[in-house]
Amino acid sequence: MPLIVPDLNPASTSSSSQQQEWTTKLLGKTLTSDTRSDNLSFAKQDLPKDHRIVEPGAMLTQDYRPERLNIHLGEDGTVRHVDFK
């Protein structure tokens, strides 16, 4: 039986670096339908194809899709958290 060490899986490391990258790009910004991103907002068209915007109190499906970017918004509409699930 092979030894599996947590967080040494290349796929896990890749997902973690992607999450950090998207956190850096989106945290504290609002999402906009504009075609350009700036210091305060991020254009929805620049999000990956497989994404989901989660508003406060929203009901979510429990399907596990590690390639899907989940963008969690705060009450004020700014991005509070991102993850891949």
Side-chain angles (χ1 to χ4, degrees):
M1 177 180 256
L3 175 64
I4 299 174
V5 180
D7 295 332
L8 292 182
N9 180 346
S12 169
T13 304
S14 174
S15 175
S16 176
S17 65
Q18 281 186 325
Q19 182 169 339
Q20 182 59 41
E21 178 184 341
W22 282 106
T23 297
T24 301
K25 287 180 182 180
L26 296 174
L27 199 63
K29 294 184 177 183
T30 57
L31 298 177
T32 180
S33 297
D34 291 344
T35 58
R36 294 179 3 145
S37 298
D38 59 31
N39 291 336
L40 301 175
S41 63
F42 194 85
K44 288 181 183 178
Q45 73 178 20
D46 294 335
L47 293 171
K49 180 180 177 185
D50 198 8
H51 72 274
R52 172 169 64 175
I53 298 171
V54 182
E55 296 182 2
M59 300 287 284
L60 300 177
T61 60
Q62 294 298 313
D63 58 324
Y64 178 70
R65 295 179 49 201
E67 72 283 353
R68 177 177 54 202
L69 175 65
N70 293 298
I71 304 157
H72 301 266
L73 303 180
E75 292 290 335
D76 61 356
T78 60
V79 177
R80 297 289 182 214
H81 175 72
V82 299
D83 60 38
F84 285 88
K85 291 185 184 175

